Amino acid sequence: MTTAVCAAALAAGVTGCSQFDQNIPDLGTGTGGQQGVRPAVAAPSPSPSPDPFKGMSADAIADKAVAATTSAKSLRMTGRVVSEGQPLAIDFSVNDKSECTGTLKVQGGLAQLRQTDNVAYMKGDERFWRTSMTSQGLPEPQIDATVELLKGRWVKIAAGQQGSTELAGVCDLKSLLADLKTDKDARTGLTRGKDSRVGAVPTATLVKKKADGERTTVSVAQRGKPYILRIVKTGGDEPGAIRLSAFDKPVKVVTPPADETVDLSRLEQGTGA
């Protein structure tokens, strides 16, 4: 899931991102659209009575959680992750109609992403675009001119244009959730830890430990559908924490006004990029 989001940043040419604080052990409910905010750690809570997973092994609970989560028609994904060496703060809402809206933060730069009707729109702040173009080796005068052109504007990226495939991957819910179904090794050999809460929802805690010290903790809802609500990974090469919420809620994507967009093909022609 996080690899697809990282690809969106790489599609824009963002590399060499600075590290963020990787010691955050948990994620709370989050606040709409805000990135890189240190969340409060949820305090452990007694299991509800009766336990909906009573008598089930941790692996069986994981299978049930994967089935529920991958059946969702939409969801919101927030958190901070490291994927392929790239640290990212992300906040995306996506549905099964290839529509999405959200933000990503890398190296202090912030970019917004929207997709609807197979057309993606990306709007970055000055730091985001400068980091992107500098990493591609563009000359300073060209960067200055492009940053000025993009100030307050969205780059419009139609299907088939450079970067469209990577951006579309972020907005493909089935693709984002595919690994949950196919990677069966990741959900075997689990143990059940202390029950806790994610926001107001009581959760079962599933733990996967690897010999190299990597530890993954998954929180599964004990109320309503057994959705995966939180995934926290410590140790290993890709630490981070992801919060899943807003299951089956409508995803409203607002198409930027035409006078606030710049078509990618015209931008390439105009800057020689």
Side-chain angles (χ1 to χ4, degrees):
M1 296 169 65
T2 58
T3 300
V5 179
C6 189
L10 297 180
V14 178
T15 59
C17 305
S18 59
Q19 292 291 326
F20 52 76
D21 179 9
Q22 295 177 6
N23 297 318
I24 295 177
D26 219 335
L27 280 178
T29 57
T31 53
Q34 292 187 357
Q35 300 300 312
V37 178
R38 179 183 291 274
V41 178
S45 173
S47 299
S49 184
D51 179 358
F53 305 125
K54 185 177 181 180
M56 294 178 62
S57 68
D59 289 3
I61 297 172
D63 287 340
K64 196 176 182 73
V66 167
T69 304
T70 54
S71 71
K73 302 298 183 184
S74 63
L75 56 79
R76 180 182 175 192
M77 178 171 60
T78 59
R80 291 195 281 176
V81 299
V82 175
S83 183
E84 299 181 0
Q86 303 297 323
L88 295 170
I90 58 175
D91 186 343
F92 282 94
S93 293
V94 56
N95 64 22
D96 60 356
K97 298 177 182 178
S98 295
E99 295 177 320
C100 72
T101 181
T103 59
L104 61 90
K105 187 176 183 180
V106 284
Q107 201 167 338
L110 181 69
Q112 301 176 61
L113 174 65
R114 299 177 187 175
Q115 178 167 299
T116 184
D117 296 328
N118 293 318
V119 179
Y121 301 87
M122 178 174 274
K123 181 180 181 180
D125 60 16
E126 180 173 342
R127 184 165 183 176
F128 178 86
W129 290 126
R130 285 193 179 278
T131 299
S132 171
M133 289 181 282
T134 299
S135 71
Q136 296 177 58
L138 300 183
E140 194 67 27
Q142 185 174 326
I143 293 176
D144 292 339
T146 306
V147 167
E148 186 63 30
L149 177 64
L150 294 178
K151 194 173 294 183
R153 292 178 175 166
W154 296 80
V155 176
K156 181 180 179 181
I157 308 169
Q161 291 183 312
Q162 182 178 352
S164 62
T165 301
E166 292 85 352
L167 293 173
V170 180
C171 301
D172 184 344
L173 181 60
K174 290 183 179 179
S175 177
L176 286 175
L177 298 177
D179 283 350
L180 288 177
K181 281 187 174 181
T182 58
D183 191 2
K184 294 184 179 181
D185 289 342
R187 60 179 194 269
T188 58
L190 302 172
T191 58
R192 184 168 177 178
K194 282 188 176 182
D195 291 351
S196 186
R197 285 181 179 269
V198 175
V201 181
T203 59
T205 302
L206 308 180
V207 180
K208 172 84 171 186
K209 297 180 181 179
K210 292 187 177 181
D212 61 2
E214 181 180 289
R215 176 188 174 103
T216 302
T217 304
V218 180
S219 300
V220 180
Q222 289 180 290
R223 181 187 301 158
K225 292 185 179 181
Y227 290 127
I228 295 172
L229 300 185
R230 183 172 54 210
I231 304 171
V232 178
K233 185 180 288 187
T234 57
D237 297 327
E238 298 185 345
I242 289 290
R243 168 85 159 90
L244 302 181
S245 61
F247 293 95
D248 295 323
K249 301 295 184 183
V251 176
K252 183 179 180 180
V253 182
V254 178
T255 302
D259 61 354
E260 294 181 13
T261 66
V262 177
D263 188 273
L264 180 61
S265 58
R266 293 184 62 185
L267 177 64
E268 291 172 341
Q269 293 168 6
T271 63

